[in-house]
Amino acid sequence: MLKVLGLASLDDLVDAVVPASIRDTTPLTLPEAASEADVIDELRALAGRNVVRSSMIGLGYHDTITPPVILRNVLENPAWYTAYTPYQPEISQGRLEALLNFQTVIQDLTGLPIANASLLDEATAAAEAMSLTYRVTSAADAPFVIDADCLPQTVAVMQGRAEPLGHRLVVADLDDGLPEGPLAGLLLQYPGASGRVRDHAAIVAEAHDRGALVTVAADLLALVVLRAPGSIGADIVVGSAQRFGVPMGFGGPHAGFMAVRSGLERNLPGRLVGVSVDADGAPAHRLALQTREQHIRRERATSNICTAQVLLAVIAAMYAVYHGPDGLREIAHRVHRRARTLAAGLGDAAVHRQIFDTVLVAVPGRAAEVRDRARARGVLVRLVDDDHVAAACDERTTRSDLEAVWEAVGVEPVADVDDDDLLVPRVEDILLHPVFNTHRSETSMLRYLRRLAHKDYALDRGMIPLGSCTMKLNATAEMEPITWPEIARIHPFAPAEDVAGYAELITALEGWLATITGYDAVSLQPNAGSQGELAGLLAIRAWHRANGGPDRDVCLIPSSAHGTNAASAVMAGMRVVVVGCDDDGNVDLADLRTKVDAHRDALAALMITYPSTHGVFEEEIGEICAAVHDAGGQVYVDGANLNALVGVAKPGHFGGDVSHLNLHKTFCIPHGGGGPGVGPVAVRRHLAPYLPNHPLRPDAGPPTGIGPIAAAPWGSAGILPISWAYIRLMGGDGLTEATKVAILSANYVARRLGDHFPVLYAGRNGFVAHECILDLRPVTKASGVTVDDIAKRLIDYGFHAPTMSFPVPGTLMVEPTESEDLAELDRFCDAMIAIRGEVDRVADGEWPAEDNPLRNAPHTAASIAGEWTHLYTREEAVFPVPAARADKYWPPVRRIDQAHGDRNLVCSCPPVTEYA
């Protein structure tokens, strides 16, 4: 590879590519690389310092049982966890069907007609509901009222989201009725944080009479047996699907959800799976209304959430598929009867009689003592205040757990209650679609999961050369710990004494990430890159306010930036000013200086991605940062492309004040089909006091922090062992070499393909950074073959397409990463060169522009059966190169009609008759 580039060593390559002004040749001060066996042993020791007790803490997090057939064949299966976001739907039909199942579960249980394909967690889903409310109502100055019985972490996240946007929140005890005056929206908790179940019909009606939208934050398992919020007029329902088989994992990752009434679907944030048809008219799944995606809409985005929690949504959906409606009802009734039994034994100490799973217990002056007595008996209950504890029952709660609580309180056991007593029992049927009533045996479920996985293309099949998304190896050894009970079954609000292993792992990982980036402090709380962006900008905003700059609200963003940058800036209360780029893809320095001068007194920050989204190391990065600092602004370096910096340069040293890091890119947490992710925020010392904190965990951040950015104190803590293991396995030298090889791979691909497709941007010496942009516009002009045609044709060659038309329309952005070996890189290059040959045959008139293997791609097995009328052969269609014969990937559908799906929006499992 080096020989192709005319270089002698990796160091020569880095010298030629990375500007000397930012180069850092100091070895990373990290522990020496360890073997996989040693790393597993170290993680076993850390996990052993966590204590697994029966958690009855509740507050939206509950222990659950992941059916082993789902644990092994989804959560632990690389066919599911190494897949990318389903932007190429023809090769994503399996996980799209699973997400359609998820949406159907949410729609059925909430009683609303449209649900999205998951959000990050319950608290951020509630915050998104608040934003949606203000988008669709004319009550911009009216308050949003929150029921005082809502989960405290949800209230805190919403307060943090509302303040920069100028929204006014009012927390009120709704037993006293709605506050007087104008009202934009209302959030109810169902059941409440206290465990109480209330009939909300009257208050929903009153809110509607006053022109407000009503959001209900609901417990998904409770909705199996309680009346659906949609049946009493709720406009929006949010919550978490965690207790549908997803481990607690010390707070995440979990699939949040949102469902809306008709009329709100085009304002729904996040992703929406819909049903369309392919080129042969067969039903096919795809993402609906994709133009809402943040990388397209930028500052007009409906939210800054560019990731879902796909893997966890799939698990929750499969939990419903496997148990079916009868099984879910059995689980829900069992949980409810446990709670009623617990309350019966507590007698008058049980505060509320109308409950689902949580009992609020009055123990005047004894709450801390009762909590400690229960813990000594192996059960964790929640300390509410000096006079109350709460105990929540779940799928794993046993009779002995109830007895431990009774003993802690000092009451005598009672016999099990064997009937239900629900204030608002569900009367609607649930989950009638055959998919939820078919797979009752493990044999059937196993084969269903296998069929879906077989339809998809993930990293376990081959290279996913997506630029800007870093799809690389997720080593099995790194993945192993996440399902250990000591990692998976820990409640995020468990006492510090029970999570010493987690604390040590988190502290070490924060320190390693600070070392790697050159910053001084790191918060692991943001549970997506978009949330890390928001946290970083809110820290900048807080710093300005603390230092006499409350009016600094302008955020400069280059036109090449990731789309979430602008959306995050808007959410942080900033005004976006776009800075142009020159013909080489670099920030236009003259335009930057003009914008800095024009907004000098109001400049809050510059957001810049480095290396740039155009795939180059900008030589003037030092000047760019200095210009912003001289004007009193802060520099936000988007860490999406840190894969090209680790070990060779540190953003905290070359001018950055804050960065977010994508652990699901650079540090090997798998994409899981479009989530989970972790987006820590790293800052220099002066911004450290403004990192996220948490109302329920004082040790989760500084007391002067910006509040929580996610529901859980350390976000998606359950997958942090993956990145910890990656760094521990690699050591400083290994991480540095990985960066060098990633740069080598990108330049090798660019050099091999440069004569066939122009490389749009390059840095000095003609080299690119970690990715390259192939310009297909000349090809399209000469032949009519589009970027879509080439992307779909790559499927026939056995590849996932690179990133299409971002950041430049009509281009493909390729990032091969360090994980791909030479044979795979050459297979990709050979495929692209062969496709260029096919394009030439179209341009020369040998194949018609409207009937050729590119325009008709991808080709399914069914499409080559029967009569064949094309001017190219069946073999040319499906075996374009000999390598395709050896391990053929057959797409399950042909090219999907996106416009048809958007015109005919179907976002739940269609009736079986439609598949006939």
Side-chain angles (χ1 to χ4, degrees), residues 601-650:
D601 294 335
L603 182 60
L606 165 76
M607 295 187 82
I608 185 169
T609 302
Y610 199 84
S612 78
T613 308
H614 288 147
V616 295
F617 285 95
E618 302 193 38
E619 297 285 332
E620 296 83 6
I621 185 64
E623 282 185 66
I624 292 169
C625 294
V628 173
H629 285 146
D630 288 347
Q634 297 285 282
V635 175
Y636 183 107
V637 178
D638 187 313
N641 297 335
L642 194 70
N643 203 43
L645 292 177
V646 174
V648 301
K650 296 179 178 180

Side-chain angles (χ1 to χ4, degrees), residues 302-365:
T302 54
S303 78
N304 78 328
I305 290 185
C306 68
T307 189
Q309 296 282 27
V310 170
L311 185 66
L312 300 316
V314 169
I315 292 170
M318 294 309 170
Y319 182 91
V321 168
Y322 191 45
H323 286 297
D326 291 340
L328 291 177
R329 277 190 285 262
E330 181 182 338
I331 293 168
H333 284 305
R334 186 168 71 245
V335 168
H336 177 58
R337 289 165 185 164
R338 288 280 188 218
R340 288 195 61 229
T341 299
L342 177 61
L346 291 165
D348 292 341
V351 177
H352 303 302
R353 290 296 161 188
Q354 298 296 341
I355 60 173
F356 169 64
D357 64 356
T358 299
V359 183
L360 183 65
V361 190
V363 283

Side-chain angles (χ1 to χ4, degrees), residues 459-670:
L459 274 176
D460 65 328
R461 285 189 188 268
M463 179 182 181
I464 302 180
L466 282 151
S468 198
C469 289
T470 320
M471 295 294 296
K472 66 181 187 179
L473 174 70
N474 313 119
T476 306
E478 297 159 10
M479 299 298 297
E480 183 178 336
I482 67 170
T483 54
W484 296 344
E486 300 87 352
I487 299 295
R489 292 187 57 200
I490 303 295
H491 194 286
F493 307 138
E497 301 81 15
D498 284 3
V499 293
Y502 257 122
E504 185 175 340
L505 183 147
I506 287 167
T507 299
L509 184 55
E510 288 175 345
W512 294 346
L513 294 174
T515 296
I516 290 166
T517 58
Y519 288 110
D520 299 303
V522 173
S523 169
L524 295 171
Q525 188 182 113
N527 51 8
S530 55
Q531 307 308 287
E533 290 178 13
L534 181 60
L537 290 171
L538 290 176
I540 288 173
R541 181 175 181 269
W543 179 80
H544 280 307
R545 291 188 159 209
N547 288 274
D551 297 326
R552 288 187 174 269
D553 65 347
V554 168
C555 185
L556 302 179
I557 301 181
S559 60
S560 64
H562 286 167
T564 52
N565 288 176
S568 295
V570 170
M571 290 184 66
M574 296 182 181
R575 292 181 288 146
V576 173
V577 174
V578 177
V579 178
C581 290
D582 62 24
D583 293 340
D584 295 321
N586 299 310
V587 172
D588 185 327
L589 273 174
D591 190 46
L592 174 72
R593 292 192 176 101
T594 298
K595 301 286 173 60
V596 167
D597 288 341
H599 301 284
R600 182 169 291 272
D601 294 335
L603 182 60
L606 165 76
M607 295 187 82
I608 185 169
T609 302
Y610 199 84
S612 78
T613 308
H614 288 147
V616 295
F617 285 95
E618 302 193 38
E619 297 285 332
E620 296 83 6
I621 185 64
E623 282 185 66
I624 292 169
C625 294
V628 173
H629 285 146
D630 288 347
Q634 297 285 282
V635 175
Y636 183 107
V637 178
D638 187 313
N641 297 335
L642 194 70
N643 203 43
L645 292 177
V646 174
V648 301
K650 296 179 178 180
H653 288 176
F654 63 67
D657 297 291
V658 56
S659 292
H660 87 269
L661 324 173
N662 288 341
L663 298 195
H664 48 289
K665 292 184 179 183
T666 303
F667 296 98
C668 285
I669 289 175

Side-chain angles (χ1 to χ4, degrees), residues 270-487:
R271 299 186 185 127
L272 189 64
V273 175
V275 180
S276 187
V277 294
D278 74 356
D280 291 330
H285 308 307
R286 28 64 91 188
L287 293 181
L289 308 175
Q290 280 198 76
T291 53
R292 301 170 316 148
E293 281 285 357
Q294 283 63 38
H295 63 282
I296 298 170
R297 289 185 58 87
R298 298 178 180 247
E299 65 270 22
R300 298 182 303 280
T302 54
S303 78
N304 78 328
I305 290 185
C306 68
T307 189
Q309 296 282 27
V310 170
L311 185 66
L312 300 316
V314 169
I315 292 170
M318 294 309 170
Y319 182 91
V321 168
Y322 191 45
H323 286 297
D326 291 340
L328 291 177
R329 277 190 285 262
E330 181 182 338
I331 293 168
H333 284 305
R334 186 168 71 245
V335 168
H336 177 58
R337 289 165 185 164
R338 288 280 188 218
R340 288 195 61 229
T341 299
L342 177 61
L346 291 165
D348 292 341
V351 177
H352 303 302
R353 290 296 161 188
Q354 298 296 341
I355 60 173
F356 169 64
D357 64 356
T358 299
V359 183
L360 183 65
V361 190
V363 283
R366 300 173 48 225
E369 174 198 342
V370 169
R371 175 202 59 191
D372 294 343
R373 284 167 56 88
R375 180 170 175 266
R377 289 160 174 77
V379 173
L380 300 177
V381 298
R382 171 165 52 100
L383 182 69
V384 178
D385 54 35
D386 291 344
D387 302 320
H388 297 87
V389 296
C393 298
D394 59 44
E395 187 180 7
R396 288 184 180 268
T397 302
T398 64
R399 167 82 186 184
S400 63
D401 295 329
L402 306 187
E403 291 171 351
V405 176
W406 288 328
E407 289 178 22
V409 175
V411 298
E412 293 299 316
V414 299
D416 287 348
V417 172
D418 61 2
D419 63 335
D420 290 289
D421 180 22
L422 297 162
L423 174 66
V424 281
R426 188 176 194 106
V427 295
E428 310 93 344
D429 283 328
I430 62 171
L431 306 180
L432 297 178
H433 191 275
V435 74
F436 303 108
N437 295 277
T438 300
H439 306 291
R440 293 285 76 81
S441 70
E442 180 166 331
T443 305
S444 178
M445 188 69 190
L446 180 69
R447 291 171 181 164
Y448 179 60
L449 293 172
R450 178 69 176 83
R451 283 198 304 275
L452 293 189
H454 186 68
K455 294 179 179 182
D456 282 11
Y457 190 103
L459 274 176
D460 65 328
R461 285 189 188 268
M463 179 182 181
I464 302 180
L466 282 151
S468 198
C469 289
T470 320
M471 295 294 296
K472 66 181 187 179
L473 174 70
N474 313 119
T476 306
E478 297 159 10
M479 299 298 297
E480 183 178 336
I482 67 170
T483 54
W484 296 344
E486 300 87 352
I487 299 295

